[in-house]
Structure formats: C-alpha cells, structure tokens
Amino acid sequence: MDDRQELNRNLAQMLKGGVIMDVTTPEQAKIAEAAGACAVMALERIPADIRAAGGVSRMSDPAMIKGIQNAVSIPVMAKCRIGHIAEARILEAIEIDYIDESEVLSPADDVRHIDKSKFAVPFVCGARDLGEALRRIGEGATMIRTKGEPGTGDVVQAVRHMRKMQSEIRRVASLREDELYEAAKELSAPLDLVKFVHGNGRLPVVNFAAGGVATPADAALMMELGAEGVFVGSGIFKSGDPARRAAAIVQAVANWQDAKLLAKLSENLGPAMVGINADEIETIMEERGR
Amino acid sequence: MNVGVLSVQGAFAEMAAYWRRRGAEVFEIRQRVDLSRKIDLLALPGGESTVQGKLLADLGLFAPLKERIDGGLHVFAVCAGLILLAEKIEDAERCAEARPSCWFGVLPVAVRRNAYGRQLGSFKTVGTFDGRPGVPMTFIRAPAITVISPQVEVLSVFNGQPTAVRWKNITAFTWHPELN
C-alpha cells in the first residue's frame, strides 16, 4: 500500500467516534460544526429532497462546495456519481478532503466504479455487505459506510447492511486458512483483502453507518452494531430543531452505551424528519453500484 | 502505569493500543465517572479538536481535567490534543474551541490549525525525535506550532518548525506517534 492510501486511511481513523453531517449552505455547515460534526458533506440537495425532486442528480456546483470549505475548519466531503471519473477529478482539483462515490446521486456508470487507487484524494464508498465493501477497498476506497436507504429516515436498511457485514466478517474470521479461496470466490472479493479480514476480524479501513439515521437512538443503535461513527444526511436539517438534534446525535455517538444519557439526549428534540418507510419508496438507491 | 485515554471522538483506539504496547494499564475516559479511577497519565488522541473540545464541555469533563493538568498530571497529546492544550490558536475567532470553557490553554505555544492545508497536504516523513533518528512521522491535516515560549523543549522539527515539544508535565506532537 502506498503512502497516499495509508494517509487517507489515517484521516478516516481521525473521524472515528464522530458524526458526519449533510449540509447545503455555509450557514448549515457552521451550525453542524458548532454542534460537533467531525466533518460535513457538502451537497446541493439532501437525499430526502433528491427523492422528492426526482430527475438526474449530479455532483454539486464547485462554487457552492468552496463556500462551505471557507465557512468551516473541519474536513469537507462531497459526492460524485458512481463511475464518474471527471466529477471525481473536479472534486480533487478543489482539494476536497474526502470524495463520497455515492449511490445517492444518479450513477454515471451502471457497471464499474472509479479506479480510486489512481487518485491522491481519499474516497468513501457505500456497501451493503462484506463483498461489496472489499470490492470498493480493492478499487482504492479508504473508508466504507453502510448504504442504508438514504433520504428515508428509516433505519431498517442501515441495520440490515451493518448486521450482514459484521456477521460475514465474523464468519470469514472463523474459517480455516484453506477455505479463504472459496470465500473470496463467494464474496467476489480480492483474496488479499479476505485474508486481511480473516487475520484481523475487521475491515482494513474505517466503517461508518449511513442511510436512515434520524435520532440519537438510531445513532446509538448503529454504534452498538459495530459502526465506528455515523453519517446523518436528511435527519438533521429536515428536523424541527437542527442545532439541538445535531448536538444530541454527536453526544449519543460518543456515549452510545449510556442509556440514561441517551434518554436525556432524546428529550424535547422537537419533531424528527417525517420520513418514509423504506418499503414504500420507488427509487431504491442502495441497489445502485454493487 | 495507568493511562486514561480521552475517548469522546477520534483515534482513541489507536492511542489505547499505543500505550498497551508499552505495557500500560489503559482505560477510556468518556464521562466524569471515569475520572474516579487512578490515573498516572492522560492521553489526548488525534481527531477533530472542535468536536473533542465541545464534548469535553458538554460531558462535564473540562473542569476536572483542567484541574488535574494544572496540578501536574502527565499529559501525552497528539494533533487535536495539542490544539486543546495550546495557549493560543491562531484562527481561534473562527473555530468553536475559541470558547475558553473547552480549551485548556496550558501549553505556552501558539498553533495554526490545518497548517499544511487540506487532506491533500497530509504527508509522511522520517525525522529525529528526542535525539533518536529514523522515526516515522505521519501528519494528518496537521497543525503547526508557530510561536513557542523559550522554556519549552523542542523534541522534533520539520522545515524549521517544532513538531513535538515537552514542557513541565506535558509532551505534545503535531504528528501521530501512535500510527507507526
């Protein structure tokens, strides 16, 4: 692994135990930073609004992203479409701290992802299971997040993906060494990465939860299931009192094992995002990119 | 030795592993109640200083930790931890830890956050630390020490700027000894 890949994995390590929040304006970015976000995701429309608007969803305007970079001192991430090499190069050119090659946007390539190992800038990618995670890492992703189902406020898919990934990691760790070749075939994943999981009992990169987290309890649930931090997209700025909810989710992630504190944090937060049940939606974002 | 690792956000697991490899008894500090244990050294890990500073205040950890640091408790701080300890933060007016309630301000240095730029400016080098050559040094969106009191001992230098320092009970790094 070259130095750049290692440095990019290291940045993800610094984000652990933190909350990465979707923001659409410099004002929202400042609210997120003051509430304790460890990074912000700059995008023109949050997933719930992308869903509502329909149509093709693309990389955000670089001017808008720069406005957010200038407003805060924490890392700024931005999304490019799956397989859109040129959008990724543009985001690298404006020195984004992390690119999210994201299923939230309309895919530019319905088969291939970007060869992320050719970039100096780091990438985070979504995954629903261990095979998907290891394929993305093989392509050069230095951070993974569960996909969940973005823009729904329904945590069920994030739970399904995190549980699946963790149980597959445990299974691989328990195999005999001579069974790893077959496991790599089944997972459609690079053998060296399967061997890493076998030897270490974890992914070789940091793994966050994303897609449907809306409350401090949701965030604590994802930490309980093995997430090393959470992304909150629509859940904050689609709620009644974003600053307060954001701060409560940050504290919930830091102290997810303390139910008494979680109870206090969950009090009087105002209305959560209304949300839609993940099985009532027509656009299934999690199925984009495999 | 009993090492308490501030574990509210960041690379605290890596910091805990660093001290375990050195034979220390390690525990996490997430809340006030964790401070009832015997502690010989406080380790402040890498992460985001704005987040850690805010959580120190929100979780009621700031005042008791400040009291102990002032009282001579040994502190080992990296990156964000160094920022929390510095007397002056250059861009303080635009960052959340400008609030004195979540910024210890005990180490007589000034720091500039993200001094090497964004993530594309992160780098790895090899240098001399405390007279020992060949030490790998990883800088992740690292701060720089821009002003230093003459009483502070410099332990490592990069491009003429101090990158690790020792002062009284405090040892602090702009790079990450726990990652290598």
Side-chain angles (χ1 to χ4, degrees):
Chain A
M1 187 173 46
D2 67 23
D3 270 2
R4 209 59 243 173
Q5 281 268 311
E6 197 182 333
L7 289 165
N8 291 341
R9 288 183 182 192
N10 290 156
L11 176 58
Q13 287 172 280
M14 298 305 143
L15 300 175
K16 281 193 297 183
V19 182
I20 300 169
M21 303 181 193
D22 279 4
V23 297
T24 58
T25 63
E27 292 68 37
Q28 285 184 357
K30 283 182 185 154
I31 291 170
E33 182 179 45
C38 69
V40 290
M41 177 77 67
L43 70 177
E44 278 165 357
R45 282 181 299 186
I46 55 176
D49 291 336
I50 290 173
R51 254 182 213 298
V56 176
S57 181
R58 309 178 178 89
M59 176 187 78
S60 297
D61 182 338
M64 173 267 168
I65 297 170
K66 282 188 199 159
I68 287 170
Q69 285 177 314
N70 291 330
V72 294
S73 65
I74 54 179
V76 177
M77 303 184 167
K79 292 181 193 291
C80 74
R81 285 180 265 177
I82 290 173
H84 208 310
I85 303 160
E87 283 186 352
R89 284 194 186 131
I90 290 168
L91 292 175
E92 183 172 57
I94 62 169
E95 296 200 23
I96 203 76
D97 290 298
Y98 241 97
I99 295 177
D100 183 1
E101 187 184 18
S102 177
E103 69 282 3
V104 167
L105 305 181
S106 308
D109 189 322
D110 60 356
V111 182
R112 285 163 220 87
H113 281 70
I114 296 169
D115 178 2
K116 294 164 276 287
S117 67
K118 298 292 187 291
F119 285 75
V121 75
F123 283 81
V124 55
C125 285
R128 293 171 299 177
D129 53 40
L130 181 60
E132 222 172 287
L134 296 182
R135 287 194 290 282
R136 299 296 86 79
I137 296 165
E139 294 156 1
T142 50
M143 181 177 181
I144 292 293
R145 54 173 177 74
T146 55
K147 285 178 168 175
E149 188 54 42
T152 59
D154 187 347
V155 82
V156 66
Q157 300 288 29
V159 167
R160 186 176 294 166
H161 300 159
M162 187 58 77
R163 278 202 183 267
K164 181 148 192 227
M165 206 179 292
Q166 298 295 345
S167 80
E168 287 176 329
I169 288 171
R170 286 191 296 272
R171 189 184 81 84
V172 168
S174 72
L175 294 176
R176 274 167 57 101
E177 243 173 77
D178 62 4
E179 292 169 339
L180 296 177
Y181 304 93
E182 176 63 17
K185 194 174 84 186
E186 281 169 15
L187 292 165
S188 304
L191 178 63
D192 60 324
L193 296 177
V194 173
K195 284 183 172 170
F196 180 95
V197 172
H198 174 70
N200 296 275
R202 61 174 177 85
L203 290 180
V205 304
V206 167
N207 184 21
F208 270 43
V213 176
T215 67
D218 287 349
L221 170 63
M222 296 316 300
M223 295 300 285
E224 167 93 39
L225 295 178
E228 297 181 282
V230 298
F231 285 80
V232 186
S234 317
I236 289 171
F237 288 99
K238 275 283 164 195
S239 74
D241 188 346
R244 191 161 174 176
R245 181 167 295 266
I249 293 176
V250 169
Q251 279 202 58
V253 168
N255 273 292
W256 56 273
Q257 288 156 305
D258 183 346
K260 275 193 180 143
L261 180 66
L262 293 176
K264 208 172 114 214
L265 293 171
S266 304
E267 280 179 11
N268 301 316
L269 287 180
M273 72 177 286
V274 175
I276 15 174
N277 289 315
D279 56 7
E280 290 170 3
I281 50 177
E282 283 174 14
T283 306
I284 310 295
M285 292 174 174
E286 59 149 312
E287 287 175 356
R288 295 167 168 173
R290 280 153 197 266
Chain B
M1 184 168 58
N2 294 290
V3 175
V5 178
L6 181 68
S7 304
V8 293
Q9 191 273 328
F12 51 82
E14 290 78 355
M15 182 62 93
Y18 174 87
W19 283 104
R20 275 195 201 100
R21 286 197 296 274
R22 278 152 186 79
E25 192 68 39
V26 177
F27 64 96
E28 293 186 342
I29 299 172
R30 288 175 186 263
Q31 303 185 347
R32 260 186 120 111
V33 59
D34 300 323
L35 296 175
S36 56
R37 297 183 57 166
K38 180 178 174 321
I39 176 167
D40 303 311
L41 182 141
L42 169 67
L44 302 177
E48 281 301 319
S49 59
T50 53
V51 185
Q52 295 178 358
K54 180 171 194 308
L55 285 168
L56 280 174
D58 289 352
L59 296 165
L61 284 166
F62 179 80
L65 282 178
K66 170 111 169 58
E67 199 184 306
R68 287 176 194 224
I69 297 169
D70 288 342
L73 174 65
H74 285 284
V75 186
F76 182 93
V78 308
C79 200
L82 163 69
I83 295 169
L84 293 176
L85 294 173
E87 249 176 29
K88 187 172 185 311
I89 298 165
E90 281 192 358
D91 59 346
E93 73 283 349
R94 54 165 291 197
C95 70
E97 75 256 51
R99 293 175 301 148
S101 65
C102 51
W103 166 26
F104 294 118
V106 292
L107 179 65
V109 300
V111 297
R112 185 162 67 240
R113 302 173 69 231
N114 306 331
Y116 305 94
R118 301 182 187 281
Q119 173 61 6
L120 287 170
S122 293
F123 64 99
K124 202 171 166 178
T125 182
V126 174
T128 299
F129 171 72
D130 203 8
R132 199 155 36 91
V135 177
M137 300 176 177
T138 300
F139 295 75
I140 304 293
R141 281 174 49 98
I145 297 169
T146 52
V147 182
I148 183 164
S149 155
Q151 290 102 307
V152 176
E153 184 188 355
V154 175
L155 300 175
S156 68
V157 172
F158 179 76
N159 277 353
Q161 269 181 330
T163 54
V165 295
R166 190 186 289 138
W167 188 71
K168 293 185 179 171
N169 49 322
I170 295 172
T171 309
F173 304 75
T174 64
W175 45 281
H176 291 276
E178 81 284 14
L179 291 181
N180 291 294

